[in-house]
Amino acid sequence: MAGVTIRELGLTFVRVCMENYWSGCILPVFFLLGILWDIFYHKRKEAVVFLYYVIFLALTVYNPFLVRYIVPKVDFENEYYRFIWILPVIPGVAYYAVRLVSLIEFKTGKVLLAVLLGGVIIITGTPIPGIAQNFAMAENIYKVPNELRSICDVIHEDSKKEEPRVVFGDDMNMVARQYDPSLRLVLERNYRLYRAGSTVVGNYEKKKDYQIQKVIMDVVSYQMTDTDMAKFKASLDKTKTDYLVVQLEQNCHDYLRQAGCVPVAQTEKYVVYRYGE
Amino acid sequence: MRELMLVPIDIILELLVFFCTGSLLMRVLRMQAETTMAVFMGYLLYFVVFEAVAVPMTLKWVSLTHFAWFWAAVMAAAVFAGGIFLHRQWFRQIGKIGEVFCNHSWLLLLTAGVILLQCMMVAMYQDNTADAAHYIGSVSTSVYTDTLARYNPLTGALQKKFNIRYDLSAYPMHNAVWCRLLGIHPIVQAKIAMAVINVLMINFLVYQIGKKLFDQNVKKADLFVIFVCLLQLFSYSLYTSGTFQLTRCYEGKALLANVAIPAAFLASLGLWLDKNTKNAWVLLFLASVSALTFSGSSIIYPAVVSTAVLPVMLLKRKLSWAIPYALCMVPGFLYAAVFFTSKLGWLVFPAS
């Protein structure tokens, strides 16, 4: 979980993780209300499972004292949220919803209550963006931008190598090798994420490789065209870059041409440059 | 067009393998025949055996092609054995389809519609997560190089040593095998075919949990599936199981959150409610090994097993459960031991 450390939060680490995990969703409240309903009114044998899960986890994996001392020792702070998957909140809420519906004897009443409970879930919940809200439809069966497919074709037509080394200036870097693994990426995924400010991929400030790739990222991703030209060319040489793929709207195209990059193709949104022979 | 035609063939073949494997297992365990449970148990058993076979082959640098054809023979044997020993049972199950519809009534159609909607969502969703660069890249790279995880999926370079955090979990190699056998593109295999299968398995598991919670009442179980789907859709944060199921169903972590961990919950229900707990223990053991196949994050699985078992063990005063409990903990501890010894540099698995 990004930005959450035991060193800063101490004993409140578990609570903050829970808050970030549920992020305003009140399902845990419904879950606890259901358990209380069971304890004080409608006792059912099968529902005891939710109670013992809560108690056991509260005493162990969600115990702030244990977490405070053990989790840092096994270097599991970033992944601690995965322990929250163990708590059966969603099956629990669904179980109590079905039990409520079952209390009604008449079929029409059952249907109406089920629809009402569904409405409560939708209104109080947070829809998954891109799925339950503003569905993000894939452009093609490969789930990559159509432009990437054109760019890969262009590079292979132009290149004499079977595995050309390519710089992608944007998120195409993340999907390129999924679609076309014959492309060798110059910019490493973790270095890109670190350069973008991620705190969970590690600290590469002192790594020589990172510093070399950072020069390239500064120009093609962050449009820092005041970067020393000789340093930029040296980075391209050291990384044996063959091609650069840069968004048309970036303002580094003149810089790239001056650095010796030759445009070989242009798609709707990208320019493909060849570097070197 | 070719890829589009391969997707349903891929799904049907894989489901057939899971169904035959699971049916055989349920026959051995003398469990009552039930289709969704057979497919789900077969899915878990498949990945248990796959992990046991794929990891040593990976570490021994066996080529993807050789491993794929070997695995094809294993799957064919399972399907053949299922056909030989269980065809009569299957004919009887087909004969009971009318009874199934009567028991479920119109709720079955609604539940099927909800499950189909989830399948379509994961199949058509445009995913852009950074982690896919590794998980899918691993499949693409293995297919391209005809190796098992020997090349860095992010850069394409030959690795000096295996990345234990990822390469001990053989799930991506399962996708690579099917890509090799069917000629299907790795993205299509992982993000469409297998994502749809995973969604089906998650819903079959939820249905089984519903049946267990409501004393085999199938209508209540159907309604339970519908409510769980709605809750998964409307419980967004970057970390929730619903987000992983519906946006990252090709990742092993999604299967840990939505298959392996809930399977332990189902096992816990079985331990708590059933007189004969043998099936619950088998399910828990299969889940604990298949968790390793899915993701290195299964390092948390000993906590999952302990939560599922220890409270019931205390409540029912079953000290005799210490042995099966320990057996179910072994896979997680073994993995943790290999992981930490590798991290400390005591154990190195060269990849070149």
Side-chain angles (χ1 to χ4, degrees), chain B residues 226-261:
Chain B
I226 295 168
F227 274 128
V228 167
C229 171
L230 213 51
L231 288 162
Q232 295 274 67
L233 278 167
F234 288 89
S235 58
Y236 171 73
S237 79
L238 284 176
Y239 315 104
T240 59
S241 57
T243 301
F244 275 86
Q245 178 193 329
L246 292 162
T247 65
R248 299 165 73 168
C249 210
Y250 50 84
E251 279 189 40
K253 287 197 289 286
L255 301 180
L256 180 65
N258 292 287
V259 174
I261 291 176

Side-chain angles (χ1 to χ4, degrees), chain B residues 39-317:
Chain B
V39 177
F40 181 73
M41 293 288 276
Y43 173 87
L44 290 185
L45 180 61
Y46 172 99
F47 282 110
V48 167
V49 178
F50 189 85
E51 176 80 357
V53 175
V55 170
M57 292 221 181
T58 299
L59 299 178
K60 294 296 283 178
W61 304 359
V62 172
S63 76
L64 173 64
T65 300
H66 287 136
F67 177 60
W69 287 112
F70 167 76
W71 188 246
V74 171
M75 290 191 287
V79 171
F80 185 68
I84 295 288
F85 294 111
L86 299 169
H87 64 274
R88 287 199 187 114
Q89 177 187 295
W90 293 344
F91 285 134
R92 280 198 298 273
Q93 279 179 271
I94 291 170
K96 287 183 183 173
I97 283 182
E99 194 182 313
V100 167
F101 277 109
C102 280
N103 291 340
H104 285 266
S105 81
W106 58 272
L107 261 179
L108 180 63
L109 291 172
L110 188 59
T111 310
V114 160
I115 295 172
L116 185 63
L117 181 67
Q118 292 173 69
C119 291
M120 285 170 60
M121 281 174 172
V122 299
M124 296 194 290
Y125 174 68
Q126 174 70 49
D127 150 78
N128 287 315
T129 57
D131 282 356
H134 190 282
Y135 295 114
I136 310 301
S138 181
V139 183
S140 297
T141 302
S142 294
V143 173
Y144 174 68
T145 58
D146 196 27
T147 59
L148 294 169
R150 288 179 64 198
Y151 286 75
N152 185 318
L154 302 175
T155 62
L158 181 62
Q159 299 183 113
K160 286 189 185 138
K161 55 181 182 172
F162 284 104
N163 186 340
I164 291 305
R165 184 180 163 181
Y166 297 105
D167 297 336
L168 281 187
S169 299
Y171 178 73
M173 294 305 105
H174 153 81
N175 284 322
V177 162
W178 281 88
C179 289
R180 174 61 76 224
L181 292 174
L182 293 181
I184 195 170
H185 191 281
I187 295 178
V188 178
Q189 161 64 22
K191 288 189 178 180
I192 299 181
M194 204 57 209
V196 166
I197 290 173
N198 290 337
V199 163
L200 287 173
M201 295 303 126
I202 290 166
N203 281 277
F204 289 169
L205 173 60
V206 170
Y207 175 68
Q208 293 299 325
I209 291 172
K211 277 177 60 175
K212 190 66 89 177
L213 284 169
F214 297 107
D215 196 22
Q216 306 304 314
N217 184 316
V218 295
K219 287 182 184 171
K220 288 183 183 176
D222 286 341
L223 189 58
F224 180 77
V225 170
I226 295 168
F227 274 128
V228 167
C229 171
L230 213 51
L231 288 162
Q232 295 274 67
L233 278 167
F234 288 89
S235 58
Y236 171 73
S237 79
L238 284 176
Y239 315 104
T240 59
S241 57
T243 301
F244 275 86
Q245 178 193 329
L246 292 162
T247 65
R248 299 165 73 168
C249 210
Y250 50 84
E251 279 189 40
K253 287 197 289 286
L255 301 180
L256 180 65
N258 292 287
V259 174
I261 291 176
F265 177 72
L266 177 59
S268 189
L269 277 171
L271 294 175
W272 175 236
L273 296 171
D274 297 344
K275 280 185 187 160
N276 185 342
T277 57
K278 176 188 69 176
N279 297 336
W281 285 115
V282 170
L283 173 64
L284 189 59
F285 183 76
L286 289 178
S288 67
V289 182
S290 57
L292 301 184
T293 323
F294 298 143
S295 173
S297 298
S298 60
I299 207 159
I300 71 170
Y301 214 76
V304 177
V305 171
S306 300
T307 310
V309 173
L310 288 178
V312 191
M313 209 166 126
L314 288 169
L315 286 169
K316 284 187 155 185
R317 294 190 179 88

Side-chain angles (χ1 to χ4, degrees), chain A residues 39-214:
Chain A
I39 293 172
F40 294 110
Y41 292 104
H42 254 253
K43 296 183 177 77
R44 289 280 179 92
K45 187 182 180 191
E46 70 276 2
V48 171
V49 72
F50 297 114
L51 183 60
Y52 70 63
Y53 255 71
V54 168
I55 293 172
F56 185 83
L57 289 169
L59 291 174
T60 55
V61 169
Y62 303 157
N63 183 324
F65 295 96
L66 287 180
V67 167
R68 167 84 171 78
Y69 292 104
I70 293 176
V71 167
K73 286 185 171 40
V74 292
D75 193 21
F76 211 67
E77 277 171 89
N78 288 331
E79 293 85 10
Y80 175 78
Y81 73 89
R82 293 168 198 178
F83 283 109
I84 305 175
W85 291 337
I86 305 175
L87 188 64
V89 170
I90 284 177
V93 174
Y95 165 74
Y96 290 113
V98 174
R99 272 182 59 184
L100 276 174
V101 170
S102 304
L103 291 176
I104 308 288
E105 290 206 4
F106 299 103
K107 200 172 179 177
T108 314
K110 283 182 196 287
V111 171
L112 285 174
L113 182 58
V115 170
L116 179 67
L117 290 173
V120 168
I121 290 168
I122 290 170
I123 290 168
T124 60
T126 311
I128 299 177
I131 293 282
Q133 189 182 54
N134 301 326
F135 187 78
M137 179 76 88
E139 288 182 42
N140 51 60
I141 198 170
Y142 302 103
K143 300 196 176 190
V144 297
N146 284 322
E147 296 232 16
L148 176 63
R149 299 174 68 191
S150 306
I151 288 165
C152 291
D153 289 341
V154 156
I155 289 175
H156 284 300
E157 275 171 24
D158 187 76
S159 175
K160 293 170 191 163
K161 296 181 181 175
E162 270 188 37
E163 296 180 5
R165 294 181 63 82
V166 186
V167 166
F168 284 93
D170 61 359
D171 284 348
M172 289 267 231
N173 205 62
M174 298 295 178
V175 295
R177 279 188 57 80
Q178 296 177 49
Y179 175 71
D180 183 351
S182 68
L183 298 181
R184 300 284 297 272
L185 299 181
V186 168
L187 301 178
E188 291 199 28
R189 167 195 177 265
N190 285 357
Y191 291 171
R192 277 187 55 87
L193 292 172
Y194 177 70
R195 175 66 180 86
S198 170
T199 54
V200 299
V201 292
N203 188 326
Y204 301 106
E205 210 56 47
K206 292 180 183 171
K207 283 207 84 170
K208 193 178 168 190
D209 282 351
Y210 170 71
Q211 291 299 333
I212 293 170
Q213 293 179 30
K214 181 178 176 294

